[in-house]
């Protein structure tokens, strides 16, 4: 799985950047967001911004009204980060420091 994801980041995402305008990418993201029920959208937002660069995150966050940006920074992002959802478990034996 990790090899597959690394391949996507290394080879697929640069192709998207070369062949889609920002307007097309934004339209795609809006379409994907709208596929989710309103209650699932905060999780979608935190997933989209997971590991995003500062410039990309700022571009996404400017789409939100200021109160929503505060909720993202102070509630949604910390909650998402606390889940350690994408953390790869250590392969060390139990009880041993890694």
């Amino acid at each position: 799985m990790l090899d597959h994801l690394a391949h996507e980041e290394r080879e697929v995402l640069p192709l998207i950047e070369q062949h889609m305008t920002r307007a097309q990418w934004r339209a795609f993201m809006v379409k994907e967001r709208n596929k989710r029920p309103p209650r699932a959208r905060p999780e979608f937002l935190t997933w989209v911004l997971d590991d995003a660069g500062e410039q990309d995150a700022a571009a996404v966050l400017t789409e939100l009204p200021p109160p929503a940006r505060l909720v993202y920074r102070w509630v949604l992002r910390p909650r998402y980060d606390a889940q350690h959802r994408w953390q790869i478990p250590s392969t060390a034996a139990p009880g041993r420091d890694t």
Side-chain angles (χ1 to χ4, degrees):
M1 177 65 120
L2 293 175
D3 289 339
H4 171 77
L5 295 174
H7 162 75
E8 284 188 356
E9 287 189 10
R10 185 178 58 252
E11 297 184 30
V12 176
L13 292 178
L15 288 174
I16 291 171
E17 290 176 358
Q18 288 176 5
H19 298 285
M20 288 180 76
T21 66
R22 285 199 177 268
Q24 290 170 322
W25 183 248
R26 183 181 185 285
F28 169 76
M29 293 304 292
V30 168
K31 183 177 178 181
E32 288 300 308
R33 180 196 67 205
N34 290 338
K35 288 181 181 179
R36 284 140 184 85
R39 290 181 146 269
R41 291 177 188 174
E43 185 175 7
F44 179 72
L45 175 66
T46 54
W47 173 76
V48 165
L49 295 178
D50 186 21
D51 206 30
E54 200 172 305
Q55 185 178 8
D56 292 331
V60 171
L61 292 172
T62 59
E63 297 287 323
L64 301 176
R69 289 194 295 264
L70 287 174
V71 169
Y72 168 78
R73 286 189 179 104
W74 292 99
V75 178
L76 300 177
R77 188 66 202 205
R79 185 183 302 158
Y80 180 85
D81 289 342
Q83 293 175 6
H84 302 288
R85 181 177 302 225
W86 307 111
Q87 184 176 3
I88 300 168
S90 171
T91 57
R96 299 181 74 187
D97 290 336
T98 56

